[in-house]
Amino acid sequence: MKERIVEIVEDFLKEHKQEVNYTIEYPKEEKFGDYSTNMAMILASKLKRNPKEIAKEFVDFALNKSDGLFEKIEIAGPGFINFYINRSAFSQQLRNIACDVEAYLKPQLKSTKKIQVEFVSANPTGPLHVGHGRGAAIGDSIARILSFCGYKVEKEYYINDAGLQMQLLGLSTLVRYKQLLGIDEALPEEGYKGEYLIDIAKQLIVEYGENLLNKDEDEAIQICAKKAGDTILNDIMETLREFRVEYDKVFNEKKLYENKEIEESISLLKQKGALYEEGGALWFRSSQFGDDKDRVIRRSNGAYTYFASDVAYHRNKFLKRNFSEVIDVWGSDHHGYVKRVKAAIEAMGIDPERLKVVLVQIVNLLKGGEKISMSTRKAQFVELRDVMKEVGVDAARFMFLSRSIDSHLDFDLDLAKKQSNENPVYYVQYAHARISSILEQLNEGVDKNADTSLLKEKEEIDLIKSIIRFKELLEKACIQTEPYFVVKGLLDLAEKLHRFYNKHRVIIEDENLKRARVLLVWVVREVLRTGLNLIGVEAKNKM
């Protein structure tokens, strides 16, 4: 229906030989119709005409073009145009949707893009915390949504396993190993202080006894780093699998060194004239590409920076694996890194718009109304696995997505455990379960040829509107890579279902109306199931 309104508006603008950026939105109040546009006001400022005159001209034009779609079109305020859809159009639309619900929901984007979504990618230096959990829920849901919408999507985890952090991990583990053997040695100030390293050090004692004490310290650190890194990475991947996240590929930073890809990337940047030497270091001219200053890519001691690895990694994504588009999901603390990576991509001759960086804002955990204090530096954080154990995977994933990506999230653990309508995930899952319970009571199946024109009650029409709106929100979620829009659509649909359920019975004596209502709630259940799957939450049949 929105698409039809767009067509009519575009036809009107073509007749006036104009192009303007207008919006078509849902009015905040029901009395202002089903859709509203500001087109007349935008066009008026361009044509230097009265917006109400343009609106009146458009109303006559639209009513002639609409083939009975509109019950009426009204002009409001300074020139808003409000569309009231004919109720029979909604019931007819339900029949069309019921033919193939999934096909109806899929946006008609007609793209063959090959997209990579890289997310979480936490250094294997400690267990995943709640911040990683939000990034995992967002990244995985973005990939699910894009795949549903027809894109070829590959999910990737990038392991930073070649830098100073791994050396610090190895040293910290070695110190824990020595402490367990009775040697009094303090952890390095910048080292890792988490208790999890004690368990890894115990495993090293089982494997090596005291033999690591007799080895060269550098060798001992490397042994400890590998053991700790492998153990932690296995734990990370197991946690993510429990969180319903599966990757298509795991990429090791070490491969960039082993395959000489860092040298190749530097050679390419040199060919493009994007590097210079100063003070013995090699610098990238990132300020020429929108960054606030130039960046060191190789230090004066010959060691490559983390930035060098990132340049090579993104060259690999675009020029070696030929992804049409890359979506990196990073923590908000990486916001300063976006410009320099995009600058390097542009310097290598790649359109920087092909890289989209999604910055995930922080999570505050609340319990008993109080914020839980967390600090990764002091190893004081709540592990993702602990949150899953406390509230369940469904609640955790849903709550992580319950605010837009660029908003901070207050995750109320007590709310997430409630078996009531206050808990948003329970509210949506209960809507699905309610419909499943109704359908279980039927002796016959769903009649897709039911007479939907019998659906005239406000709550019935509101449900159909909510289905249509869910499709629009899903397309928005795909285009803007924002899973929150799916959550928003699910909550709206659940609310309309509960409101309908509390006022009307489905299984009634009027056979024709019963079949129409059964078809309606069946379509709602299919939409709820699809939406929940897109965010990795189970669609429950019983609660």
Side-chain angles (χ1 to χ4, degrees), residues 458-485:
K458 180 182 183 306
E459 292 76 20
E460 295 167 338
I461 300 300
D462 283 348
L463 261 179
I464 300 170
K465 285 184 186 179
S466 191
I467 294 165
I468 295 166
R469 188 175 188 188
F470 182 87
K471 173 186 171 64
E472 294 168 5
L473 287 168
L474 174 55
E475 184 167 348
K476 201 172 179 181
C478 181
I479 293 168
Q480 297 187 25
T481 57
E482 175 55 277
Y484 165 70
F485 290 123

Side-chain angles (χ1 to χ4, degrees), residues 62-97:
L63 289 173
N64 287 329
K65 282 265 188 178
S66 65
D67 298 322
L69 176 63
F70 306 117
E71 183 181 301
K72 60 181 177 177
I73 306 174
E74 290 184 346
I75 301 165
F80 285 105
I81 300 168
N82 296 332
F83 302 88
Y84 297 77
I85 305 294
N86 196 314
R87 293 312 178 242
S88 63
F90 284 114
S91 58
Q92 180 57 48
Q93 182 77 318
L94 178 65
R95 285 278 297 275
N96 297 338
I97 296 167

Side-chain angles (χ1 to χ4, degrees), residues 322-429:
N322 299 312
F323 286 107
S324 311
E325 187 176 320
V326 167
I327 299 169
D328 289 348
V329 181
W330 297 349
S332 58
D333 55 336
H334 287 70
H335 67 92
Y337 220 75
V338 178
K339 281 187 178 178
R340 75 187 75 169
V341 174
K342 280 184 170 279
I345 289 170
E346 187 175 358
M348 288 188 286
I350 303 161
D351 181 359
E353 294 304 309
R354 289 169 62 191
L355 171 66
K356 178 167 186 175
V357 179
V358 174
L359 295 173
V360 179
Q361 294 299 319
I362 63 171
V363 179
N364 295 317
L365 276 184
L366 306 178
K367 192 164 189 176
E370 299 292 324
K371 180 179 171 183
I372 298 173
S373 178
M374 291 187 283
S375 168
T376 51
R377 180 165 290 279
K378 296 178 183 177
Q380 296 173 347
F381 52 81
V382 179
E383 291 186 29
L384 172 60
R385 182 168 273 157
D386 292 335
V387 173
M388 286 192 287
K389 284 178 183 175
E390 183 157 358
V391 306
V393 174
D394 287 334
R397 287 191 65 127
F398 197 99
M399 297 297 272
F400 281 135
L401 300 171
S402 63
R403 295 288 301 277
S404 62
I405 291 169
D406 56 4
S407 298
H408 288 199
L409 172 67
D410 287 335
F411 189 132
D412 190 328
L413 291 166
D414 298 321
L415 176 64
K417 290 188 289 185
K418 280 189 176 181
Q419 299 287 301
S420 74
N421 289 344
E422 295 175 72
N423 179 355
V425 66
Y426 180 88
Y427 190 63
V428 174
Q429 287 179 318

Side-chain angles (χ1 to χ4, degrees), residues 39-40 48 70 112 194 223 253 281 332 487:
M39 180 273 293
K48 310 298 182 188
F70 306 117
T112 56
I223 290 170
E253 182 187 5
S332 58
V487 173

Side-chain angles (χ1 to χ4, degrees), residues 42 49 57 90 94 105 119 125 130 174 187 202 248 250-251 253 298-300 308 324 361 385 412 466 502 507 529 543:
I42 304 297
R49 287 180 57 192
E57 188 181 327
F90 284 114
L94 178 65
L105 292 175
F119 59 104
T125 54
V130 290
L174 181 60
L187 284 166
K202 287 177 181 177
D248 300 299
V250 174
F251 191 103
E253 182 187 5
R298 188 180 63 213
R299 297 187 181 93
S300 56
S324 311
Q361 294 299 319
R385 182 168 273 157
D412 190 328
S466 191
N502 291 330
I507 300 176
R529 181 184 55 78
M543 297 289 284

Side-chain angles (χ1 to χ4, degrees), residues 4-16:
R4 183 69 188 113
I5 293 171
V6 170
E7 286 175 9
I8 293 169
V9 172
E10 289 296 324
D11 286 345
F12 180 79
L13 291 171
K14 280 177 188 173
E15 284 207 358
H16 288 75

